[in-house]
Amino acid sequence: MPYASLWADRLKKNNDAYVVKGDTRFAVANAPASESHIVVRSPTKTVVLSVLHTLTGCSPIRTDPVGNATLKRCPMRLAIYQNGRSTVADAGSGCFIEYGAQPNNVRPDLARNGAMGAYDVQAKTIRAGIVFQGEIAQECQFRVPVPQP
C-alpha cells in the first residue's frame, strides 16, 4: 500500500491509458504495474528508492533472449519518512528487469539478470545497479543522494 500511494499519479495515468485503448478490465483496480525498491532505515529516518514499471511508463533498453528478460528504463522516486512527515521527489529514471515466463516455471537466473542496491554511508547515497546478460549494465548504475537535515 505505501508504494501504491507513492505512485498514485503514475498508476492513475497508466489506468487511464488502458481505458483509452478500450481495455476496461481494470475499472475497479489498477492496471498491471510492478514496483521495485531499496529501503534504508536508521533509528530516526526511513528512505525508499522506488522504481515503477508499467507498460505505459517505461521504455525498453534491450532484451536477453537466453534469460527471457527485458531491461527497461522507468520512473524513479525517492521518499523520506522522518518525524511523522514524508517527502517524495522524482529521482529521474531507473532501470527495471521484466522477466518473461520461464520454461517449467524455473526461477529466473538472478546472477545473469538481477538488481542490487546498497547505502553508501560516507557518501550518503543509495547505490543501485543492474547486472544484465551476466554483465554490469553501465546505463543502469545509479547513485542517488539522500538529502540530509
Side-chain angles (χ1 to χ4, degrees):
M1 187 63 172
Y3 303 107
S5 64
L6 178 66
W7 290 105
D9 61 323
R10 292 287 186 131
L11 291 171
K12 182 181 180 332
K13 186 176 179 181
N14 189 50
N15 295 343
D16 293 346
Y18 274 76
V19 170
V20 166
K21 291 178 185 177
D23 188 342
T24 58
R25 292 176 295 162
F26 308 104
V28 179
N30 286 324
S34 300
E35 182 271 350
S36 65
H37 58 270
I38 300 167
V39 178
V40 180
R41 298 184 198 284
S42 76
T44 60
K45 182 178 1 181
T46 299
V47 178
V48 176
L49 182 63
S50 175
V51 176
L52 180 68
H53 172 255
T54 62
L55 293 177
T56 60
C58 298
S59 57
I61 299 172
R62 62 178 185 261
T63 59
D64 177 10
V66 172
N68 195 17
T70 303
L71 183 61
K72 294 184 173 184
R73 186 164 312 284
C74 301
M76 185 165 60
R77 289 191 173 157
L78 184 70
I80 301 173
Y81 304 94
Q82 185 175 24
N83 298 327
R85 296 181 136 168
S86 63
T87 57
V88 177
D90 285 326
S93 59
C95 291
F96 192 95
I97 301 171
E98 179 182 61
Y99 298 100
Q102 301 296 315
N104 302 318
N105 291 323
V106 173
R107 292 182 157 260
D109 180 355
L110 299 181
R112 181 175 178 79
N113 296 309
M116 64 198 91
Y119 181 66
D120 184 331
V121 176
Q122 291 182 342
K124 306 231 183 303
T125 60
I126 296 175
R127 296 175 60 195
I130 299 278
V131 171
F132 198 74
Q133 294 178 298
E135 297 181 4
I136 294 171
Q138 293 299 330
E139 68 271 41
C140 294
Q141 304 302 306
F142 301 97
R143 291 179 183 262
V144 179
V146 175
Q148 300 303 305

